[in-house]
Amino acid sequence: KTVVPVVVATWNFKNATKAAWEVLEKGGNSLDAIEAGCRVEEADLKNTTVGNGGTPDRDGNVTLDACIMNKEGNYGAVVCMENIAHPISVARKVMEDTPHVLLAGKGAEQFAVSQGFKRENLLNENTIKAWEKWKEKSEYKPIINIENHDTIGMLAIDKNGDISGGCTTSGLAYKMAGRVGDSAVIGSGLFIDNTVGGATATGMGEEVLKTVGSFLIVELMRQGRTPQEACEEGVRRIVTSNPNFKNFQVGYVALNKKGEYGCYCIHGGFGISKYQEGEQTYVESDSHIK
Ligand code: SD4
């Protein structure tokens, strides 16, 4: 049985999935739903892992990564972009209005400004205070399940059965200047194939990048795995290749074209938000470490 429209997202991002659902419910397309949903978290100053109010790198600069994919398999992304609060919307502009798919740093920021995005300071009192405190020891140690929300990766299928996805983040807290994670890299933090489904990731981006996690999961679904089985295999690839896996988190969520979803992670505490058949639910993910 196919149950669309549907939207799923990493973590308990209730407001974001609700915003996406409202677009889908009105008959809107999945790309608009993804952009609307991701923008909610980018604007939320209480969310210190995405967009405005995101945690800076170790030099105190907030650098954002985001990408979007549509049903045609088109992709747009920005990485290491500063001073622009809505990287998901800039990513969409890159996809729709440039001959390129990925813009980085200053070039991404200049492009955003040329498209009418406002330059703003993405730091605030709280993130500055936390950074000052971090500097006392300057120890780079990504926290597992930080605040129980994190990077938002979102997958949506509209009433026509077409899937789109997006992923947006400020990256790992106190990363090195110039560090880019998985979130905006096609096939790693996100992959969409409108004949199969989609997958997206959260957690230690380096591990997702090394295993091209989201592409792997979509390809496994193409070969007949359920979204759940495919997410489990994605995590298995990481834990079998890196004995250090107890020290970091990775979480995946996948959605196939029937609207069936799956999720899996290394450490418990990860979960996904879902809106389907007019109902919002939070689904706790099963984990490799029990
Ligand atoms: C990154 N995957 O930049 C992102 C950050 C994240 O949990 O999701 N942290 O590596």
Side-chain angles (χ1 to χ4, degrees):
K1 183 174 152 230
T2 303
V3 184
V4 298
V6 57
V7 54
V8 293
T10 54
W11 307 102
N12 199 4
F13 288 126
K14 283 207 178 78
N15 298 337
T17 38
K18 182 161 182 284
W21 176 258
E22 281 167 4
V23 174
L24 296 171
E25 199 184 21
K26 282 189 216 123
N29 69 56
S30 54
L31 189 68
D32 290 340
I34 291 293
E35 185 182 4
C38 289
R39 285 178 64 96
V40 169
E41 289 312 315
E42 290 178 340
D44 184 354
L45 295 181
K46 289 198 290 295
N47 184 346
T48 58
T49 52
V50 179
N52 200 354
T55 299
D57 66 13
R58 58 185 60 178
D59 300 336
N61 299 310
V62 180
T63 67
L64 305 177
D65 301 337
C67 77
I68 198 160
M69 279 190 85
N70 70 7
K71 64 177 182 192
E72 279 95 25
N74 292 320
Y75 156 77
V78 292
V79 295
C80 220
M81 184 177 71
E82 294 181 46
N83 303 315
I84 306 288
H86 284 299
I88 194 76
S89 297
V90 184
R92 182 171 178 173
K93 287 269 182 207
V94 171
M95 177 173 80
E96 293 179 342
D97 297 333
T98 79
H100 306 305
V101 296
L102 173 57
L103 294 180
K106 279 275 163 276
E109 184 179 336
Q110 275 162 24
F111 169 68
V113 169
S114 79
Q115 296 296 306
F117 291 82
K118 257 199 348 267
R119 271 205 178 88
E120 34 189 320
N121 176 15
L122 305 179
L123 280 169
N124 59 48
E125 223 174 276
N126 294 336
T127 52
I128 293 172
K129 235 188 252 158
W131 174 58
E132 297 286 356
K133 178 135 191 33
W134 176 81
K135 278 197 297 184
E136 289 168 12
K137 284 194 185 153
S138 295
E139 214 179 12
Y140 178 67
K141 202 163 178 255
I143 299 163
I144 291 169
N145 299 341
I146 181 166
E147 298 173 10
N148 285 323
H149 59 68
D150 217 308
T151 297
I152 182 163
M154 183 180 266
L155 310 166
I157 303 179
D158 57 33
K159 72 169 193 321
N160 297 327
D162 292 321
I163 186 166
S164 301
C167 192
T168 179
T169 189
S170 52
L172 293 174
Y174 315 122
K175 59 194 178 185
M176 290 172 69
R179 181 265 186 188
V180 173
D182 61 312
S183 301
V185 177
I186 189 170
S188 291
L190 177 76
F191 196 69
I192 297 293
D193 183 322
N194 202 30
T195 63
V196 179
T200 187
T202 181
M204 183 65 84
E206 283 73 9
E207 301 302 320
V208 176
L209 281 163
K210 286 192 290 184
T211 51
V212 201
S214 292
F215 182 73
L216 170 68
I217 289 168
V218 171
E219 289 305 301
L220 289 168
M221 291 195 294
R222 188 195 308 280
Q223 292 161 25
R225 308 266 185 120
T226 64
Q228 184 61 34
E229 289 165 348
C231 288
E232 289 178 18
E233 177 62 18
V235 167
R236 201 189 64 81
R237 291 286 170 98
I238 293 173
V239 300
T240 51
S241 64
N242 189 338
N244 190 36
F245 68 84
K246 287 194 178 64
N247 296 321
F248 57 80
Q249 172 70 305
V250 170
Y252 285 118
V253 51
L255 188 63
N256 70 16
K257 289 277 289 177
K258 288 191 241 166
E260 296 166 338
Y261 70 93
C263 55
Y264 203 63
C265 57
I266 300 176
H267 295 268
F270 170 63
I272 63 163
S273 30
K274 176 170 88 87
Y275 224 122
Q276 195 169 29
E277 297 185 285
E279 201 186 322
Q280 185 167 61
T281 40
Y282 175 72
V283 182
E284 207 168 305
S285 170
D286 197 4
S287 55
H288 177 77
I289 300 174
K290 303 293 177 192

